[in-house]
Amino acid sequence: MDILSFKFQDFLSAFIILFAVIDITGLTPIIIDMKQKGHNIVAWKAAVYSLVTFLAFLFMGNMILELFQVDISSFAIAGALVIFVMAIEMLLGIEIFRNDGPEGAASIVPIVFPLIAGAGSFTTLLSLRALYGLGSILAALVLNIIVIYIVIRNVHILERVLGKTGVYVLRKFFGIILLALSVRMFLQNLAVALESFS
C-alpha cells in the first residue's frame, strides 16, 4: 500500500472514526459554559492549534512521548485529570480554571487539549496510520478541523435556541457525563500504567 495514497472509502472511514472520537458536537455545552464564564474562545485559533497538534502527533507522536519518557497511558491520565476538574466546575458552578491567560488562551487549554486533541484522538491517529494511506488520513483530519471550526464559530446559535434554562440543564447533564468519562479514562489507563511498571 502506497503510504501517500488516497482512497475515498479509506478517507470516509477515517473521517467517521476521528469525528466520533473527537466528538466536537458533544463538546458544545462545555464551550457554551466556558463562554458564559468569560473565556474568549476563538474558533480559528482552536481549529489551527488542533490541526498543528494533530499533525505533530501524527508524524512525531511516539518520538515526542519517548523524548520525555512519557507513555500514552500516563498522557491519558493527565488528560483525564484536566477533564475531571472541568466536570467539577460544570456540576458545582465553581471556577477552577482562572481566566488569567492572554486573550484566547482558553482556545488552547482546555479546548484543544485535552478535549479535542486528547489521548484518545492521538491513539486513534496512530492506529489509523497502520490501516490507511497518509493521504486519506490527512484529508479526513482536515475535514474534521473544518467541522470543529464551524461548530465553535456558531455555538452561539445553539445557546440562543436552548435559552438560559436549556443551557443550565445541558451543562449539568454533560458535567455528569464528563465526570464519568474522566473516571473511566483515569482507571483504564491507570491499570495499563501500573501493569507496565510491574
Side-chain angles (χ1 to χ4, degrees):
M1 179 179 67
D2 182 4
I3 196 168
L4 291 173
S5 68
F6 175 88
K7 292 181 180 176
F8 182 77
Q9 185 61 47
D10 292 350
F11 153 73
L12 194 60
S13 298
F15 170 77
I16 292 170
I17 292 168
L18 283 171
F19 182 80
V21 172
I22 295 169
D23 190 22
I24 187 61
T25 52
L27 297 180
T28 50
I30 301 164
I31 296 168
I32 291 172
D33 180 59
M34 293 190 68
K35 284 195 169 188
Q36 288 182 340
K37 289 176 181 173
H39 294 279
N40 182 25
I41 299 170
V42 184
W44 72 265
K45 280 188 178 181
V48 169
Y49 289 140
S50 294
L51 180 60
V52 170
T53 305
F54 278 131
L55 289 176
F57 203 86
L58 181 64
F59 291 105
M60 301 182 295
N62 286 326
M63 187 179 70
I64 292 170
L65 292 178
E66 286 173 8
L67 178 66
F68 292 100
Q69 296 183 330
V70 175
D71 54 70
I72 194 72
S73 57
S74 300
F75 192 77
I77 288 171
L81 293 175
V82 175
I83 293 172
F84 179 84
V85 172
M86 290 187 63
I88 295 298
E89 275 193 338
M90 292 176 73
L91 284 170
L92 303 182
I94 58 176
E95 185 177 9
I96 300 172
F97 282 112
R98 291 182 58 206
N99 191 15
D100 58 356
E103 186 176 350
S107 305
I108 306 168
V109 178
I111 297 300
V112 172
F113 176 81
L115 293 178
I116 294 174
S121 48
F122 286 155
T123 307
T124 302
L125 266 182
L126 295 180
S127 302
L128 290 175
R129 282 295 301 268
L131 296 174
Y132 307 127
L134 195 56
S136 301
I137 297 172
L138 289 173
L141 186 56
V142 169
L143 186 56
N144 267 288
I145 294 300
I146 292 170
V147 172
I148 287 169
Y149 171 78
I150 292 170
V151 170
I152 296 177
R153 183 78 175 79
N154 297 290
V155 76
H156 62 281
I157 297 173
L158 180 64
E159 186 178 5
R160 195 181 308 132
V161 170
L162 290 172
K164 287 186 178 180
T165 304
V167 169
Y168 177 82
V169 172
L170 209 60
R171 183 166 63 237
K172 299 302 178 185
F173 174 75
F174 273 90
I176 295 171
I177 297 296
L178 214 58
L179 187 63
L181 179 67
S182 68
V183 170
R184 189 189 72 178
M185 194 172 163
F186 179 85
L187 292 176
Q188 281 181 343
N189 288 281
L190 181 63
V192 174
L194 291 175
E195 191 175 321
S196 65
F197 284 122
S198 62

